[in-house]
Amino acid sequence: MSGHLQPAAACLLTLALWPFPAAALDQQDIAALIKLRPSVLKVEASDDRGNVSVGTGVAVGPGVIATACHVTARATTIRVVSNGERMQVSSQRAQVGRDLCLLDVPGASQVPVVELRSTPLKPGEELVALGYILGAAPRVSNGMVLQLHPHDGANVIQSTTPFTSGASGGGLFDREHRLVGVMTFKFRSGTDNQFSLPVAWIREGMALPAGADVAPLSGQAFWSESEAALPAFLQTLRLQTEARWGELESRARGWIAGNSGNASAWHALGRSQVKQGRPVDGIAALEHANALDADNPVFLTDLATAQLGQRDEAGYARTRARLAGLSPEALSLLDQRLQSCAVKSDTAC
């Protein structure tokens, strides 16, 4: 990879705590998160040179801690830390391609286990994330589900819950404080490109036989492949992030030719057309994307922004009302976008 995708445990050594565009935590969340903190542990992975990678893990079974494999990839020794107590990892069940590792920790059998959500997530749902910062206590951020990207039998979660280094392997929870995902990677630029692994993969991992002794792992995660080998949704999002609009339009048209019912492909087409100065075509494609996937905050935000740029006040009002009906966070996403566009004086934002 060229470095535009990065693990949450690399580069910056902080977990983002500012609420952009997330809402403030309420008292109910704070009380529940105090309850959840014992289930979120620090992970220390040491290689044969004495280098230590720090990440986060979540107790998903008695003595079983889920984390991101890129945290433990080079480790010869792994420990998890709970209330200042370091406990040795005896083995790990690694799904390296998915970037999901389950650590077997005999000493952690009494650590409280989180509940795994069994019902599907929906775009617009509010989320709370828990992860470590600089190896200190776990910290909290919140946001919402932006998109759900089908990959390898489940949906990779794209959200606005901000995180950076030390948070890899941390827990992503819904409003009922059930685990919905494990925080893993983000794009280098942008604020809405945080990604988490689905709990469905955790359930599959729990069914695997006992893992191998701790040793460096081979292989690489799906998000760290070469550009051509990336999943389609990451190829598309990367082109958007890098403003490669002509390539994005070509990619989207090929995608639509193979699957005309794919809402993400129509969204990518519309976004690329608007950015290339063809707003009428772009709005038509964005409306088609919204017809295929109603109540997607990303699609609606792009549609509203394009409508406002074309001075379609009635269309903008309708789309804004749909965002307001999703959640306050969805409407805040639009307002943040419009503010950014105004600062840039970008009518095709």
Side-chain angles (χ1 to χ4, degrees), residues 146-147 149 240 262-268 271 285-307 319 322-323 333 337:
L146 281 177
Q147 297 192 73
H149 301 285
Q240 291 187 52
N262 190 302
S264 293
W266 284 99
H267 169 255
R271 185 102 166 91
L286 290 170
E287 288 177 335
H288 191 66
N290 279 287
L292 291 169
D293 184 5
D295 299 334
N296 185 309
V298 173
F299 297 177
L300 288 170
T301 295
D302 283 340
L303 176 59
T305 305
Q307 289 169 327
T319 306
R322 288 175 65 187
L323 279 164
L333 185 72
R337 173 76 168 276

PDB file of all heavy atoms in Angstrom, residues 146-147 149 240 262-268 271 285-307 319 322-323 333 337:
ATOM      1  N   LEU A 146     -21.986   5.056   9.115  1.00  0.00           N
ATOM      2  CA  LEU A 146     -22.118   5.725   7.824  1.00  0.00           C
ATOM      3  C   LEU A 146     -22.559   4.748   6.740  1.00  0.00           C
ATOM      4  O   LEU A 146     -23.575   4.946   6.075  1.00  0.00           O
ATOM      5  CB  LEU A 146     -20.793   6.367   7.426  1.00  0.00           C
ATOM      6  CG  LEU A 146     -20.441   7.690   8.086  1.00  0.00           C
ATOM      7  CD1 LEU A 146     -19.061   8.151   7.646  1.00  0.00           C
ATOM      8  CD2 LEU A 146     -21.478   8.760   7.778  1.00  0.00           C
ATOM      9  N   GLN A 147     -21.761   3.689   6.546  1.00  0.00           N
ATOM     10  CA  GLN A 147     -22.080   2.697   5.531  1.00  0.00           C
ATOM     11  C   GLN A 147     -21.674   1.314   6.027  1.00  0.00           C
ATOM     12  O   GLN A 147     -20.819   1.186   6.903  1.00  0.00           O
ATOM     13  CB  GLN A 147     -21.359   2.996   4.215  1.00  0.00           C
ATOM     14  CG  GLN A 147     -21.744   4.304   3.560  1.00  0.00           C
ATOM     15  CD  GLN A 147     -21.231   4.404   2.134  1.00  0.00           C
ATOM     16  OE1 GLN A 147     -21.744   3.754   1.226  1.00  0.00           O
ATOM     17  NE2 GLN A 147     -20.220   5.217   1.944  1.00  0.00           N
ATOM     18  N   HIS A 149     -20.282  -2.192   4.356  1.00  0.00           N
ATOM     19  CA  HIS A 149     -19.692  -2.663   3.107  1.00  0.00           C
ATOM     20  C   HIS A 149     -19.571  -4.182   3.117  1.00  0.00           C
ATOM     21  O   HIS A 149     -18.775  -4.736   3.887  1.00  0.00           O
ATOM     22  CB  HIS A 149     -18.309  -2.037   2.922  1.00  0.00           C
ATOM     23  CG  HIS A 149     -18.320  -0.536   2.893  1.00  0.00           C
ATOM     24  ND1 HIS A 149     -18.756   0.179   1.797  1.00  0.00           N
ATOM     25  CD2 HIS A 149     -17.947   0.387   3.825  1.00  0.00           C
ATOM     26  CE1 HIS A 149     -18.642   1.472   2.046  1.00  0.00           C
ATOM     27  NE2 HIS A 149     -18.162   1.618   3.266  1.00  0.00           N
ATOM     28  N   GLN A 240     -12.082   8.368  -4.222  1.00  0.00           N
ATOM     29  CA  GLN A 240     -12.761   9.576  -3.754  1.00  0.00           C
ATOM     30  C   GLN A 240     -11.852  10.387  -2.841  1.00  0.00           C
ATOM     31  O   GLN A 240     -11.748  11.610  -2.971  1.00  0.00           O
ATOM     32  CB  GLN A 240     -14.039   9.201  -3.000  1.00  0.00           C
ATOM     33  CG  GLN A 240     -15.135   8.629  -3.875  1.00  0.00           C
ATOM     34  CD  GLN A 240     -16.424   8.428  -3.113  1.00  0.00           C
ATOM     35  OE1 GLN A 240     -16.908   9.340  -2.461  1.00  0.00           O
ATOM     36  NE2 GLN A 240     -16.978   7.229  -3.200  1.00  0.00           N
ATOM     37  N   ASN A 262     -26.396  -2.051  -7.658  1.00  0.00           N
ATOM     38  CA  ASN A 262     -25.482  -1.727  -6.570  1.00  0.00           C
ATOM     39  C   ASN A 262     -25.540  -0.229  -6.278  1.00  0.00           C
ATOM     40  O   ASN A 262     -25.099   0.596  -7.073  1.00  0.00           O
ATOM     41  CB  ASN A 262     -24.057  -2.150  -6.932  1.00  0.00           C
ATOM     42  CG  ASN A 262     -23.111  -2.066  -5.755  1.00  0.00           C
ATOM     43  OD1 ASN A 262     -22.940  -1.011  -5.165  1.00  0.00           O
ATOM     44  ND2 ASN A 262     -22.495  -3.190  -5.421  1.00  0.00           N
ATOM     45  N   ALA A 263     -26.076   0.109  -5.108  1.00  0.00           N
ATOM     46  CA  ALA A 263     -26.266   1.517  -4.761  1.00  0.00           C
ATOM     47  C   ALA A 263     -24.936   2.255  -4.627  1.00  0.00           C
ATOM     48  O   ALA A 263     -24.832   3.426  -5.015  1.00  0.00           O
ATOM     49  CB  ALA A 263     -27.060   1.623  -3.461  1.00  0.00           C
ATOM     50  N   SER A 264     -23.928   1.592  -4.086  1.00  0.00           N
ATOM     51  CA  SER A 264     -22.628   2.247  -3.905  1.00  0.00           C
ATOM     52  C   SER A 264     -22.011   2.622  -5.246  1.00  0.00           C
ATOM     53  O   SER A 264     -21.327   3.645  -5.358  1.00  0.00           O
ATOM     54  CB  SER A 264     -21.684   1.337  -3.125  1.00  0.00           C
ATOM     55  OG  SER A 264     -22.125   1.172  -1.796  1.00  0.00           O
ATOM     56  N   ALA A 265     -22.228   1.800  -6.272  1.00  0.00           N
ATOM     57  CA  ALA A 265     -21.700   2.110  -7.595  1.00  0.00           C
ATOM     58  C   ALA A 265     -22.373   3.359  -8.168  1.00  0.00           C
ATOM     59  O   ALA A 265     -21.709   4.238  -8.737  1.00  0.00           O
ATOM     60  CB  ALA A 265     -21.900   0.917  -8.524  1.00  0.00           C
ATOM     61  N   TRP A 266     -23.691   3.471  -8.009  1.00  0.00           N
ATOM     62  CA  TRP A 266     -24.399   4.657  -8.494  1.00  0.00           C
ATOM     63  C   TRP A 266     -23.979   5.892  -7.705  1.00  0.00           C
ATOM     64  O   TRP A 266     -23.862   6.993  -8.277  1.00  0.00           O
ATOM     65  CB  TRP A 266     -25.906   4.431  -8.400  1.00  0.00           C
ATOM     66  CG  TRP A 266     -26.423   3.540  -9.479  1.00  0.00           C
ATOM     67  CD1 TRP A 266     -26.699   2.199  -9.400  1.00  0.00           C
ATOM     68  CD2 TRP A 266     -26.706   3.917 -10.829  1.00  0.00           C
ATOM     69  NE1 TRP A 266     -27.135   1.715 -10.608  1.00  0.00           N
ATOM     70  CE2 TRP A 266     -27.152   2.748 -11.507  1.00  0.00           C
ATOM     71  CE3 TRP A 266     -26.629   5.119 -11.533  1.00  0.00           C
ATOM     72  CZ2 TRP A 266     -27.527   2.772 -12.859  1.00  0.00           C
ATOM     73  CZ3 TRP A 266     -26.996   5.129 -12.874  1.00  0.00           C
ATOM     74  CH2 TRP A 266     -27.440   3.963 -13.527  1.00  0.00           C
ATOM     75  N   HIS A 267     -23.759   5.720  -6.418  1.00  0.00           N
ATOM     76  CA  HIS A 267     -23.284   6.853  -5.609  1.00  0.00           C
ATOM     77  C   HIS A 267     -21.917   7.323  -6.103  1.00  0.00           C
ATOM     78  O   HIS A 267     -21.680   8.528  -6.248  1.00  0.00           O
ATOM     79  CB  HIS A 267     -23.196   6.444  -4.135  1.00  0.00           C
ATOM     80  CG  HIS A 267     -22.477   7.430  -3.287  1.00  0.00           C
ATOM     81  ND1 HIS A 267     -21.190   7.217  -2.837  1.00  0.00           N
ATOM     82  CD2 HIS A 267     -22.830   8.657  -2.835  1.00  0.00           C
ATOM     83  CE1 HIS A 267     -20.802   8.260  -2.134  1.00  0.00           C
ATOM     84  NE2 HIS A 267     -21.758   9.145  -2.104  1.00  0.00           N
ATOM     85  N   ALA A 268     -21.015   6.377  -6.355  1.00  0.00           N
ATOM     86  CA  ALA A 268     -19.680   6.740  -6.839  1.00  0.00           C
ATOM     87  C   ALA A 268     -19.766   7.453  -8.184  1.00  0.00           C
ATOM     88  O   ALA A 268     -19.045   8.433  -8.436  1.00  0.00           O
ATOM     89  CB  ALA A 268     -18.809   5.494  -6.954  1.00  0.00           C
ATOM     90  N   ARG A 271     -21.140  11.021  -7.542  1.00  0.00           N
ATOM     91  CA  ARG A 271     -20.127  11.857  -6.882  1.00  0.00           C
ATOM     92  C   ARG A 271     -19.071  12.303  -7.888  1.00  0.00           C
ATOM     93  O   ARG A 271     -18.660  13.467  -7.906  1.00  0.00           O
ATOM     94  CB  ARG A 271     -19.476  11.045  -5.767  1.00  0.00           C
ATOM     95  CG  ARG A 271     -18.491  11.824  -4.920  1.00  0.00           C
ATOM     96  CD  ARG A 271     -19.102  12.230  -3.606  1.00  0.00           C
ATOM     97  NE  ARG A 271     -18.075  12.672  -2.665  1.00  0.00           N
ATOM     98  CZ  ARG A 271     -17.681  13.939  -2.539  1.00  0.00           C
ATOM     99  NH1 ARG A 271     -18.178  14.877  -3.315  1.00  0.00           N
ATOM    100  NH2 ARG A 271     -16.773  14.267  -1.647  1.00  0.00           N
ATOM    101  N   ALA A 285     -27.767  10.381 -10.795  1.00  0.00           N
ATOM    102  CA  ALA A 285     -27.141   9.155 -10.311  1.00  0.00           C
ATOM    103  C   ALA A 285     -27.255   9.040  -8.793  1.00  0.00           C
ATOM    104  O   ALA A 285     -27.503   7.952  -8.247  1.00  0.00           O
ATOM    105  CB  ALA A 285     -25.675   9.104 -10.739  1.00  0.00           C
ATOM    106  N   LEU A 286     -27.079  10.160  -8.086  1.00  0.00           N
ATOM    107  CA  LEU A 286     -27.193  10.143  -6.627  1.00  0.00           C
ATOM    108  C   LEU A 286     -28.622   9.827  -6.191  1.00  0.00           C
ATOM    109  O   LEU A 286     -28.837   9.107  -5.206  1.00  0.00           O
ATOM    110  CB  LEU A 286     -26.751  11.485  -6.050  1.00  0.00           C
ATOM    111  CG  LEU A 286     -25.255  11.791  -6.147  1.00  0.00           C
ATOM    112  CD1 LEU A 286     -24.978  13.240  -5.775  1.00  0.00           C
ATOM    113  CD2 LEU A 286     -24.443  10.850  -5.262  1.00  0.00           C
ATOM    114  N   GLU A 287     -29.609  10.351  -6.912  1.00  0.00           N
ATOM    115  CA  GLU A 287     -31.003  10.024  -6.604  1.00  0.00           C
ATOM    116  C   GLU A 287     -31.275   8.537  -6.830  1.00  0.00           C
ATOM    117  O   GLU A 287     -32.017   7.905  -6.070  1.00  0.00           O
ATOM    118  CB  GLU A 287     -31.943  10.885  -7.440  1.00  0.00           C
ATOM    119  CG  GLU A 287     -31.967  12.350  -6.988  1.00  0.00           C
ATOM    120  CD  GLU A 287     -32.835  13.220  -7.868  1.00  0.00           C
ATOM    121  OE1 GLU A 287     -33.027  12.858  -9.060  1.00  0.00           O
ATOM    122  OE2 GLU A 287     -33.317  14.262  -7.388  1.00  0.00           O
ATOM    123  N   HIS A 288     -30.662   7.979  -7.861  1.00  0.00           N
ATOM    124  CA  HIS A 288     -30.834   6.546  -8.119  1.00  0.00           C
ATOM    125  C   HIS A 288     -30.198   5.732  -6.985  1.00  0.00           C
ATOM    126  O   HIS A 288     -30.775   4.726  -6.543  1.00  0.00           O
ATOM    127  CB  HIS A 288     -30.209   6.176  -9.458  1.00  0.00           C
ATOM    128  CG  HIS A 288     -30.568   4.799  -9.935  1.00  0.00           C
ATOM    129  ND1 HIS A 288     -31.857   4.441 -10.284  1.00  0.00           N
ATOM    130  CD2 HIS A 288     -29.813   3.679 -10.090  1.00  0.00           C
ATOM    131  CE1 HIS A 288     -31.874   3.172 -10.652  1.00  0.00           C
ATOM    132  NE2 HIS A 288     -30.647   2.679 -10.543  1.00  0.00           N
ATOM    133  N   ALA A 289     -29.034   6.162  -6.524  1.00  0.00           N
ATOM    134  CA  ALA A 289     -28.391   5.477  -5.395  1.00  0.00           C
ATOM    135  C   ALA A 289     -29.292   5.495  -4.169  1.00  0.00           C
ATOM    136  O   ALA A 289     -29.446   4.481  -3.465  1.00  0.00           O
ATOM    137  CB  ALA A 289     -27.045   6.133  -5.071  1.00  0.00           C
ATOM    138  N   ASN A 290     -29.918   6.644  -3.905  1.00  0.00           N
ATOM    139  CA  ASN A 290     -30.807   6.757  -2.753  1.00  0.00           C
ATOM    140  C   ASN A 290     -32.076   5.938  -2.933  1.00  0.00           C
ATOM    141  O   ASN A 290     -32.650   5.448  -1.947  1.00  0.00           O
ATOM    142  CB  ASN A 290     -31.149   8.224  -2.501  1.00  0.00           C
ATOM    143  CG  ASN A 290     -30.062   8.955  -1.738  1.00  0.00           C
ATOM    144  OD1 ASN A 290     -29.884   8.745  -0.552  1.00  0.00           O
ATOM    145  ND2 ASN A 290     -29.301   9.779  -2.439  1.00  0.00           N
ATOM    146  N   ALA A 291     -32.533   5.773  -4.171  1.00  0.00           N
ATOM    147  CA  ALA A 291     -33.701   4.920  -4.409  1.00  0.00           C
ATOM    148  C   ALA A 291     -33.372   3.458  -4.111  1.00  0.00           C
ATOM    149  O   ALA A 291     -34.223   2.696  -3.628  1.00  0.00           O
ATOM    150  CB  ALA A 291     -34.179   5.085  -5.849  1.00  0.00           C
ATOM    151  N   LEU A 292     -32.127   3.067  -4.380  1.00  0.00           N
ATOM    152  CA  LEU A 292     -31.710   1.684  -4.137  1.00  0.00           C
ATOM    153  C   LEU A 292     -31.386   1.428  -2.670  1.00  0.00           C
ATOM    154  O   LEU A 292     -31.545   0.316  -2.171  1.00  0.00           O
ATOM    155  CB  LEU A 292     -30.480   1.356  -4.993  1.00  0.00           C
ATOM    156  CG  LEU A 292     -30.707   1.280  -6.501  1.00  0.00           C
ATOM    157  CD1 LEU A 292     -29.368   1.213  -7.227  1.00  0.00           C
ATOM    158  CD2 LEU A 292     -31.561   0.061  -6.854  1.00  0.00           C
ATOM    159  N   ASP A 293     -30.897   2.459  -1.978  1.00  0.00           N
ATOM    160  CA  ASP A 293     -30.477   2.312  -0.585  1.00  0.00           C
ATOM    161  C   ASP A 293     -30.953   3.531   0.191  1.00  0.00           C
ATOM    162  O   ASP A 293     -30.210   4.485   0.412  1.00  0.00           O
ATOM    163  CB  ASP A 293     -28.952   2.173  -0.502  1.00  0.00           C
ATOM    164  CG  ASP A 293     -28.460   1.907   0.918  1.00  0.00           C
ATOM    165  OD1 ASP A 293     -29.298   1.741   1.829  1.00  0.00           O
ATOM    166  OD2 ASP A 293     -27.230   1.874   1.117  1.00  0.00           O
ATOM    167  N   ALA A 294     -32.220   3.496   0.591  1.00  0.00           N
ATOM    168  CA  ALA A 294     -32.811   4.639   1.287  1.00  0.00           C
ATOM    169  C   ALA A 294     -32.176   4.821   2.656  1.00  0.00           C
ATOM    170  O   ALA A 294     -31.720   3.870   3.283  1.00  0.00           O
ATOM    171  CB  ALA A 294     -34.319   4.433   1.435  1.00  0.00           C
ATOM    172  N   ASP A 295     -32.136   6.054   3.110  1.00  0.00           N
ATOM    173  CA  ASP A 295     -31.683   6.399   4.459  1.00  0.00           C
ATOM    174  C   ASP A 295     -30.208   6.120   4.690  1.00  0.00           C
ATOM    175  O   ASP A 295     -29.793   5.827   5.818  1.00  0.00           O
ATOM    176  CB  ASP A 295     -32.524   5.669   5.519  1.00  0.00           C
ATOM    177  CG  ASP A 295     -33.989   6.054   5.452  1.00  0.00           C
ATOM    178  OD1 ASP A 295     -34.276   7.162   4.977  1.00  0.00           O
ATOM    179  OD2 ASP A 295     -34.847   5.252   5.870  1.00  0.00           O
ATOM    180  N   ASN A 296     -29.403   6.218   3.642  1.00  0.00           N
ATOM    181  CA  ASN A 296     -27.957   6.129   3.793  1.00  0.00           C
ATOM    182  C   ASN A 296     -27.431   7.555   3.992  1.00  0.00           C
ATOM    183  O   ASN A 296     -27.559   8.393   3.103  1.00  0.00           O
ATOM    184  CB  ASN A 296     -27.321   5.494   2.559  1.00  0.00           C
ATOM    185  CG  ASN A 296     -25.836   5.274   2.701  1.00  0.00           C
ATOM    186  OD1 ASN A 296     -25.098   6.186   3.056  1.00  0.00           O
ATOM    187  ND2 ASN A 296     -25.381   4.072   2.416  1.00  0.00           N
ATOM    188  N   PRO A 297     -26.866   7.874   5.171  1.00  0.00           N
ATOM    189  CA  PRO A 297     -26.468   9.265   5.436  1.00  0.00           C
ATOM    190  C   PRO A 297     -25.407   9.804   4.487  1.00  0.00           C
ATOM    191  O   PRO A 297     -25.391  11.006   4.199  1.00  0.00           O
ATOM    192  CB  PRO A 297     -25.958   9.227   6.887  1.00  0.00           C
ATOM    193  CG  PRO A 297     -25.669   7.801   7.173  1.00  0.00           C
ATOM    194  CD  PRO A 297     -26.610   7.010   6.321  1.00  0.00           C
ATOM    195  N   VAL A 298     -24.512   8.946   3.998  1.00  0.00           N
ATOM    196  CA  VAL A 298     -23.491   9.395   3.053  1.00  0.00           C
ATOM    197  C   VAL A 298     -24.130   9.780   1.722  1.00  0.00           C
ATOM    198  O   VAL A 298     -23.852  10.852   1.157  1.00  0.00           O
ATOM    199  CB  VAL A 298     -22.427   8.304   2.837  1.00  0.00           C
ATOM    200  CG1 VAL A 298     -21.462   8.696   1.734  1.00  0.00           C
ATOM    201  CG2 VAL A 298     -21.662   8.046   4.125  1.00  0.00           C
ATOM    202  N   PHE A 299     -25.008   8.927   1.216  1.00  0.00           N
ATOM    203  CA  PHE A 299     -25.664   9.205  -0.058  1.00  0.00           C
ATOM    204  C   PHE A 299     -26.525  10.469   0.041  1.00  0.00           C
ATOM    205  O   PHE A 299     -26.511  11.326  -0.848  1.00  0.00           O
ATOM    206  CB  PHE A 299     -26.552   8.032  -0.473  1.00  0.00           C
ATOM    207  CG  PHE A 299     -25.826   6.744  -0.730  1.00  0.00           C
ATOM    208  CD1 PHE A 299     -26.532   5.594  -1.050  1.00  0.00           C
ATOM    209  CD2 PHE A 299     -24.439   6.660  -0.664  1.00  0.00           C
ATOM    210  CE1 PHE A 299     -25.874   4.390  -1.295  1.00  0.00           C
ATOM    211  CE2 PHE A 299     -23.775   5.469  -0.902  1.00  0.00           C
ATOM    212  CZ  PHE A 299     -24.502   4.329  -1.225  1.00  0.00           C
ATOM    213  N   LEU A 300     -27.273  10.582   1.134  1.00  0.00           N
ATOM    214  CA  LEU A 300     -28.151  11.737   1.300  1.00  0.00           C
ATOM    215  C   LEU A 300     -27.361  13.030   1.453  1.00  0.00           C
ATOM    216  O   LEU A 300     -27.758  14.077   0.924  1.00  0.00           O
ATOM    217  CB  LEU A 300     -29.050  11.523   2.519  1.00  0.00           C
ATOM    218  CG  LEU A 300     -30.166  10.473   2.351  1.00  0.00           C
ATOM    219  CD1 LEU A 300     -30.825  10.173   3.692  1.00  0.00           C
ATOM    220  CD2 LEU A 300     -31.205  10.945   1.334  1.00  0.00           C
ATOM    221  N   THR A 301     -26.245  12.979   2.172  1.00  0.00           N
ATOM    222  CA  THR A 301     -25.413  14.172   2.336  1.00  0.00           C
ATOM    223  C   THR A 301     -24.868  14.646   0.996  1.00  0.00           C
ATOM    224  O   THR A 301     -24.888  15.845   0.686  1.00  0.00           O
ATOM    225  CB  THR A 301     -24.251  13.881   3.305  1.00  0.00           C
ATOM    226  OG1 THR A 301     -24.787  13.618   4.612  1.00  0.00           O
ATOM    227  CG2 THR A 301     -23.295  15.056   3.398  1.00  0.00           C
ATOM    228  N   ASP A 302     -24.386  13.714   0.181  1.00  0.00           N
ATOM    229  CA  ASP A 302     -23.866  14.102  -1.135  1.00  0.00           C
ATOM    230  C   ASP A 302     -24.971  14.648  -2.027  1.00  0.00           C
ATOM    231  O   ASP A 302     -24.766  15.613  -2.779  1.00  0.00           O
ATOM    232  CB  ASP A 302     -23.184  12.901  -1.803  1.00  0.00           C
ATOM    233  CG  ASP A 302     -21.818  12.621  -1.229  1.00  0.00           C
ATOM    234  OD1 ASP A 302     -21.223  13.517  -0.613  1.00  0.00           O
ATOM    235  OD2 ASP A 302     -21.327  11.481  -1.387  1.00  0.00           O
ATOM    236  N   LEU A 303     -26.162  14.039  -1.950  1.00  0.00           N
ATOM    237  CA  LEU A 303     -27.280  14.519  -2.762  1.00  0.00           C
ATOM    238  C   LEU A 303     -27.691  15.929  -2.336  1.00  0.00           C
ATOM    239  O   LEU A 303     -27.869  16.819  -3.179  1.00  0.00           O
ATOM    240  CB  LEU A 303     -28.462  13.560  -2.646  1.00  0.00           C
ATOM    241  CG  LEU A 303     -29.747  13.973  -3.375  1.00  0.00           C
ATOM    242  CD1 LEU A 303     -29.492  14.146  -4.866  1.00  0.00           C
ATOM    243  CD2 LEU A 303     -30.855  12.944  -3.132  1.00  0.00           C
ATOM    244  N   ALA A 304     -27.826  16.148  -1.036  1.00  0.00           N
ATOM    245  CA  ALA A 304     -28.223  17.474  -0.546  1.00  0.00           C
ATOM    246  C   ALA A 304     -27.202  18.536  -0.934  1.00  0.00           C
ATOM    247  O   ALA A 304     -27.565  19.652  -1.338  1.00  0.00           O
ATOM    248  CB  ALA A 304     -28.397  17.438   0.971  1.00  0.00           C
ATOM    249  N   THR A 305     -25.926  18.203  -0.822  1.00  0.00           N
ATOM    250  CA  THR A 305     -24.875  19.155  -1.166  1.00  0.00           C
ATOM    251  C   THR A 305     -24.927  19.514  -2.651  1.00  0.00           C
ATOM    252  O   THR A 305     -24.806  20.693  -3.031  1.00  0.00           O
ATOM    253  CB  THR A 305     -23.495  18.567  -0.822  1.00  0.00           C
ATOM    254  OG1 THR A 305     -23.468  18.189   0.551  1.00  0.00           O
ATOM    255  CG2 THR A 305     -22.380  19.567  -1.083  1.00  0.00           C
ATOM    256  N   ALA A 306     -25.145  18.501  -3.495  1.00  0.00           N
ATOM    257  CA  ALA A 306     -25.238  18.756  -4.937  1.00  0.00           C
ATOM    258  C   ALA A 306     -26.484  19.576  -5.266  1.00  0.00           C
ATOM    259  O   ALA A 306     -26.437  20.481  -6.115  1.00  0.00           O
ATOM    260  CB  ALA A 306     -25.252  17.429  -5.697  1.00  0.00           C
ATOM    261  N   GLN A 307     -27.609  19.281  -4.621  1.00  0.00           N
ATOM    262  CA  GLN A 307     -28.840  20.034  -4.864  1.00  0.00           C
ATOM    263  C   GLN A 307     -28.680  21.500  -4.462  1.00  0.00           C
ATOM    264  O   GLN A 307     -29.117  22.394  -5.176  1.00  0.00           O
ATOM    265  CB  GLN A 307     -29.992  19.394  -4.090  1.00  0.00           C
ATOM    266  CG  GLN A 307     -30.429  18.052  -4.659  1.00  0.00           C
ATOM    267  CD  GLN A 307     -31.375  17.315  -3.738  1.00  0.00           C
ATOM    268  OE1 GLN A 307     -31.283  17.425  -2.510  1.00  0.00           O
ATOM    269  NE2 GLN A 307     -32.292  16.545  -4.324  1.00  0.00           N
ATOM    270  N   THR A 319     -34.319  16.551   0.982  1.00  0.00           N
ATOM    271  CA  THR A 319     -33.214  15.677   1.374  1.00  0.00           C
ATOM    272  C   THR A 319     -32.742  15.994   2.787  1.00  0.00           C
ATOM    273  O   THR A 319     -32.442  15.092   3.575  1.00  0.00           O
ATOM    274  CB  THR A 319     -32.050  15.809   0.378  1.00  0.00           C
ATOM    275  OG1 THR A 319     -32.535  15.581  -0.948  1.00  0.00           O
ATOM    276  CG2 THR A 319     -30.962  14.788   0.683  1.00  0.00           C
ATOM    277  N   ARG A 322     -35.005  14.384   5.214  1.00  0.00           N
ATOM    278  CA  ARG A 322     -34.753  12.943   5.345  1.00  0.00           C
ATOM    279  C   ARG A 322     -33.564  12.687   6.270  1.00  0.00           C
ATOM    280  O   ARG A 322     -33.592  11.761   7.087  1.00  0.00           O
ATOM    281  CB  ARG A 322     -34.497  12.328   3.966  1.00  0.00           C
ATOM    282  CG  ARG A 322     -35.741  12.240   3.099  1.00  0.00           C
ATOM    283  CD  ARG A 322     -35.426  11.744   1.711  1.00  0.00           C
ATOM    284  NE  ARG A 322     -34.931  10.370   1.727  1.00  0.00           N
ATOM    285  CZ  ARG A 322     -34.464   9.742   0.650  1.00  0.00           C
ATOM    286  NH1 ARG A 322     -34.416  10.391  -0.519  1.00  0.00           N
ATOM    287  NH2 ARG A 322     -34.045   8.498   0.730  1.00  0.00           N
ATOM    288  N   LEU A 323     -32.527  13.504   6.164  1.00  0.00           N
ATOM    289  CA  LEU A 323     -31.385  13.367   7.062  1.00  0.00           C
ATOM    290  C   LEU A 323     -31.786  13.655   8.505  1.00  0.00           C
ATOM    291  O   LEU A 323     -31.384  12.933   9.423  1.00  0.00           O
ATOM    292  CB  LEU A 323     -30.256  14.299   6.633  1.00  0.00           C
ATOM    293  CG  LEU A 323     -29.365  13.808   5.499  1.00  0.00           C
ATOM    294  CD1 LEU A 323     -28.550  14.957   4.922  1.00  0.00           C
ATOM    295  CD2 LEU A 323     -28.441  12.696   5.979  1.00  0.00           C
ATOM    296  N   LEU A 333     -23.725  15.825  10.092  1.00  0.00           N
ATOM    297  CA  LEU A 333     -22.785  15.450   9.032  1.00  0.00           C
ATOM    298  C   LEU A 333     -22.944  16.376   7.828  1.00  0.00           C
ATOM    299  O   LEU A 333     -21.960  16.849   7.257  1.00  0.00           O
ATOM    300  CB  LEU A 333     -23.023  13.996   8.635  1.00  0.00           C
ATOM    301  CG  LEU A 333     -22.056  13.384   7.628  1.00  0.00           C
ATOM    302  CD1 LEU A 333     -20.692  13.146   8.256  1.00  0.00           C
ATOM    303  CD2 LEU A 333     -22.626  12.062   7.103  1.00  0.00           C
ATOM    304  N   ARG A 337     -20.309  19.301   6.434  1.00  0.00           N
ATOM    305  CA  ARG A 337     -19.901  19.256   5.030  1.00  0.00           C
ATOM    306  C   ARG A 337     -20.100  20.622   4.374  1.00  0.00           C
ATOM    307  O   ARG A 337     -19.212  21.132   3.671  1.00  0.00           O
ATOM    308  CB  ARG A 337     -20.722  18.184   4.312  1.00  0.00           C
ATOM    309  CG  ARG A 337     -20.541  18.128   2.812  1.00  0.00           C
ATOM    310  CD  ARG A 337     -19.236  17.476   2.390  1.00  0.00           C
ATOM    311  NE  ARG A 337     -19.300  17.213   0.977  1.00  0.00           N
ATOM    312  CZ  ARG A 337     -19.872  16.141   0.432  1.00  0.00           C
ATOM    313  NH1 ARG A 337     -20.413  15.210   1.206  1.00  0.00           N
ATOM    314  NH2 ARG A 337     -19.889  15.974  -0.864  1.00  0.00           N
TER     315      ARG A 337
END
